[in-house]
Amino acid sequence: MAETFQKVTPIFVLILFTIFTLAIIPATAEKNHRFSRTLSPAKLGLKREKLSHLHFYFHDIVAGRNPTAVRVAEALMTNTSSTFFGAVVMIDDPLTMRPEPNSRMVGRAQGLYASASQTELGLLMVLNFAFMEGKYNGSTLSVLGRNTVFSPVREFPIIGGSGLFRFARGYAHARTHVFNLTSGDAVVEYNVYVFHY
Ligand SMILES: *[C@@H]1O[C@H](CO)[C@@H](O)[C@H](O)[C@H]1NC(C)=O
Ligand SMILES: *[C@@H]1O[C@H](CO)[C@@H](O)[C@H](O)[C@H]1NC(C)=O
Ligand SMILES: *[C@@H]1O[C@H](CO)[C@@H](O)[C@H](O)[C@H]1NC(C)=O
């Protein structure tokens, strides 16, 4: 009886020790890897919030040998729908300073638009403006909005940004500058207003 007890005790202690250590290690590890904390904006280098106005032209080229907007998906009924409902178009459209296509490039609009209305030409716009002009080079703004393309002015929410546009919020006004009815190519004037730091 005593012999068995002597044999069992060290094993029992070892098991207890293991259980105890396994419980302690994650607890200390979690202390060093905090999930959340409160931070003052100054600690992140954020000073005063400012309002910026950006003005540029968006070139949506659907025809010719080098299109910047291509249809990547559609529904069976898309081509028989008066609004091309279900068409999804991926874009990498140049953004320029002036309306002429060969004017100075300030960035690109990258993302997609899709026909989301069955009763009018209403697009879902999901894209990023990737800027390359001056201090904005490398910074982006994200757009998520509804584009009724035949309205004189369309407004899209700016829902965020990166780089100089961290914490961005605002809106964009889009006005068709030129629409070529034959090719479908369009030049759209953009006025973007954003709050950022
Ligand atoms: C719909 O029309 C587009 C553009 O003309 C064409 O590329 C596509 O093949 C057509 N799709 C169907 C399913 O007919
Ligand atoms: C923008 O930044 C990229 C990468 O840092 C650089 O290669 C490019 O020359 C810059 N463009 C302009 C217009 O400053
Ligand atoms: C419209 O597109 C057609 C076909 O690509 C082209 O021949 C014509 O020159 C364009 N019109 C204008 C005003 O750019």
Side-chain angles (χ1 to χ4, degrees), residues 100-114:
E100 299 77 32
N102 57 359
S103 98
R104 185 192 175 95
M105 188 146 85
V106 295
R108 308 192 72 91
Q110 297 175 333
L112 53 87
Y113 56 77

Side-chain angles (χ1 to χ4, degrees), residues 83-110:
T83 61
F84 304 104
F85 184 64
V88 179
V89 177
M90 189 63 73
I91 67 166
D92 184 10
D93 286 355
L95 305 174
T96 61
M97 205 88 105
R98 289 182 295 108
E100 299 77 32
N102 57 359
S103 98
R104 185 192 175 95
M105 188 146 85
V106 295
R108 308 192 72 91
Q110 297 175 333

Side-chain angles (χ1 to χ4, degrees), residues 109-164:
Q110 297 175 333
L112 53 87
Y113 56 77
S115 178
S117 169
Q118 291 186 279
T119 52
E120 64 186 322
L121 206 48
L123 306 178
L124 163 72
M125 311 286 286
V126 186
L127 56 91
N128 293 305
F129 292 136
F131 296 104
M132 50 184 68
E133 172 64 19
K135 65 176 180 177
Y136 299 106
N137 188 14
S139 294
T140 67
L141 284 175
S142 300
V143 174
L144 178 64
R146 176 170 182 262
N147 187 359
T148 50
V149 295
F150 293 126
S151 304
V153 182
R154 290 86 73 188
E155 181 172 318
F156 314 136
I158 303 289
I159 59 165
S162 71
L164 277 188

